[in-house]
């Protein structure tokens, strides 16, 4: 209960702009690093408290549901052993009713907090990055920022759908043919032990033919049945969203631009078990593509020709334009799961690699 109280207390102390961010699930504006931290720190605290409160609510609802189910079954089973006017049964069913009301209330609170849930990248990526930029930019230097705080699994961001139709069950001819031919082969070889029967059959070198044909039939049968696979139906949905953009100027008057895109792959597989029930398995894979662009002034820096060759895990493009050099760095990062947050170290590594190309 303490976590729920803290979450609601934190939400009610938010101002109108912060509540608007929660309802829109989006950040878009221009402020200094200190102003952004003032705005987002309370949002990050509320999101953390709301996440803990939701986990507590889920555990309480599950435990209370099992308790009510056990109490109802016990009261129904032992009802005939109690006297007619015994207050135990009315009290038991009254407690069950109160428990159902509590589950309903906790469900409504959980729904209220879930609708105000923000993406974890706000706490684990955006706020720590702004803390770093606060030290690397001037006090009143504007930072243009765009962050999408919604779930990456959104119908608006579907870019492709791959549908593999259910595979047909192979015809049983190959299986029965393999079994029958194997039985015939065994019968032919068993005839070698019968006196006088060997002379009336094929020559000795022909006895290898049934064995070879039997092996070939079993090999073909194994290939046909292996192609069916355990999952007769597979659907792959690809989501792509540009969720982070930043533009600012550092202490040395170098312009910094960042853009991060998440490409989420949802693979949904269905199969039918021996009890004729359809089982579904869903897996998510996320590939984060980060692009960092540095525009240093040629009056202060020049491109280092010795270090222009990029490492194996990066793609770097460099050129000179008017009074500035352009260094663009790209890197991809793969993670398992949905709504993952990219590591801050990845972006800092890109910025460091960009400065290594300067002299």
């Amino acid at each position: 209960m303490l976590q729920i109280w803290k979450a609601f207390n934190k939400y009610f102390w938010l101002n109108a702009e912060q509540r608007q961010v929660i309802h829109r699930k989006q950040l878009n504006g221009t402020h200094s690093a200190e102003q952004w931290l003032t705005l987002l720190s309370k949002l990050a605290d509320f999101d953390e408290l709301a996440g803990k409160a939701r986990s507590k609510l889920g555990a309480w609802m599950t435990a209370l549901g099992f308790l009510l189910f056990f109490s109802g079954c016990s009261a129904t089973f032992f009802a005939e052993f109690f006297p007619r006017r015994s207050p135990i049964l009315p009290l038991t069913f009254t407690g069950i009713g109160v428990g159902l009301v509590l589950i309903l209330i906790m469900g409504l609170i959980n729904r209220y907090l879930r609708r105000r849930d923000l993406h974890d990248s706000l706490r684990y990526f955006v706020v720590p990055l702004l803390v770093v930029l606060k030290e690397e930019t001037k006090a009143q230097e504007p930072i243009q920022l765009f962050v999408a705080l919604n779930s990456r699994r959104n119908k608006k961001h579907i870019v492709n759908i791959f549908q593999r139709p259910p595979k047909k069950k192979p015809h049983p001819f190959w299986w029965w043919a393999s079994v029958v031919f194997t039985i015939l082969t065994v019968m032919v070889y068993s005839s070698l032990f019968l006196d006088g029967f060997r002379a009336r059959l094929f020559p000795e070198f022909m006895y290898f033919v049934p064995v070879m044909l039997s092996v070939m039939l079993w090999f073909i049968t194994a290939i046909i049945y292996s192609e069916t696979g355990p999952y007769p139906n597979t659907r792959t949905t690809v989501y792509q969203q540009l969720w982070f953009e930043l533009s600012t100027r550092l202490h040395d008057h170098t312009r910094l631009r960042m853009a991060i895109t998440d490409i989420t792959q949802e693979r949904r597989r269905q199969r039918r078990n021996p009890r004729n029930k359809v089982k579904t398995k869903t897996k998510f894979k996320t590939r984060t593509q980060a692009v960092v662009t540095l525009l240093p002034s040629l009056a202060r820096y020049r491109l280092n020709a010795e270090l222009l060759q990029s490492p194996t895990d990066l793609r770097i493009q460099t050129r000179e334009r008017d009074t500035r050099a352009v260094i663009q760095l790209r890197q991809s990062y793969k993670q398992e799961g949905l709504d993952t947050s990219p590591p801050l170290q990845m972006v800092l590594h890109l910025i460091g690699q960009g400065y290594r190309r300067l002299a």
Side-chain angles (χ1 to χ4, degrees), residues 15 22 25 46 56 86 99 113 116 119 168 179 200 277 307 351 353:
N15 56 31
I22 291 177
K25 300 288 177 32
F46 164 72
K56 293 286 185 181
S86 176
L113 294 176
R116 286 155 180 79
H119 199 274
K168 296 182 180 179
V179 173
R200 294 192 298 268
K277 291 184 178 180
L307 297 175
I351 297 175
Q353 290 293 330

Side-chain angles (χ1 to χ4, degrees), residues 307-343:
L307 297 175
L308 288 181
Q309 186 177 2
S310 63
T312 56
D313 60 337
L314 299 178
R315 288 188 298 170
I316 300 180
Q317 296 178 353
T318 59
R319 66 180 186 274
E320 294 183 358
R321 187 184 63 182
D322 297 334
T323 60
R324 290 185 178 273
V326 180
I327 304 176
Q328 189 178 74
L329 304 97
R330 297 173 180 266
Q331 187 178 19
S332 297
Y333 184 79
K334 296 182 179 181
Q335 298 182 86
E336 296 286 339
L338 177 66
D339 292 338
T340 57
S341 178

Side-chain angles (χ1 to χ4, degrees), residues 105-227:
I105 294 174
M106 287 189 290
L108 293 175
I109 296 174
N110 192 8
R111 181 174 178 269
Y112 182 86
L113 294 176
R114 186 177 67 250
R115 295 182 66 178
R116 286 155 180 79
D117 182 48
L118 299 176
H119 199 274
D120 290 341
S121 59
L122 175 66
R123 288 183 286 152
Y124 299 121
F125 181 80
V126 179
V127 173
L129 179 61
L130 290 173
V131 172
V132 175
L133 291 178
K134 182 182 177 180
E135 303 296 330
E136 300 297 332
T137 58
K138 296 181 180 180
Q140 300 300 324
E141 184 66 35
I143 298 177
Q144 186 177 357
L145 182 65
F146 167 80
V147 183
L149 298 174
N150 57 345
S151 176
R152 305 294 180 255
R153 189 185 182 187
N154 195 326
K155 293 182 179 179
K156 297 180 181 179
H157 303 124
I158 294 178
V159 294
N160 208 342
I161 297 177
F162 304 95
Q163 180 74 36
R164 189 175 68 180
K167 294 183 178 180
K168 296 182 180 179
K169 190 175 181 180
H171 197 274
F173 165 76
W174 294 101
W175 190 85
W176 285 109
S178 302
V179 173
V180 171
F181 208 87
T182 303
I183 294 175
L184 292 177
T185 304
V186 173
M187 292 176 61
V188 169
Y189 270 87
S190 64
S191 66
L192 295 175
F193 298 97
L194 300 178
D195 294 336
F197 191 68
R198 181 177 180 181
R200 294 192 298 268
L201 295 176
F202 303 103
E204 293 184 3
F205 69 90
M206 294 294 292
Y207 283 92
F208 292 99
V209 175
V211 178
M212 296 175 61
L213 291 178
S214 179
V215 172
M216 290 177 60
L217 281 174
W218 279 111
F219 183 72
I220 295 173
T221 304
I223 292 177
I224 293 175
Y225 274 82
S226 64
E227 289 182 354

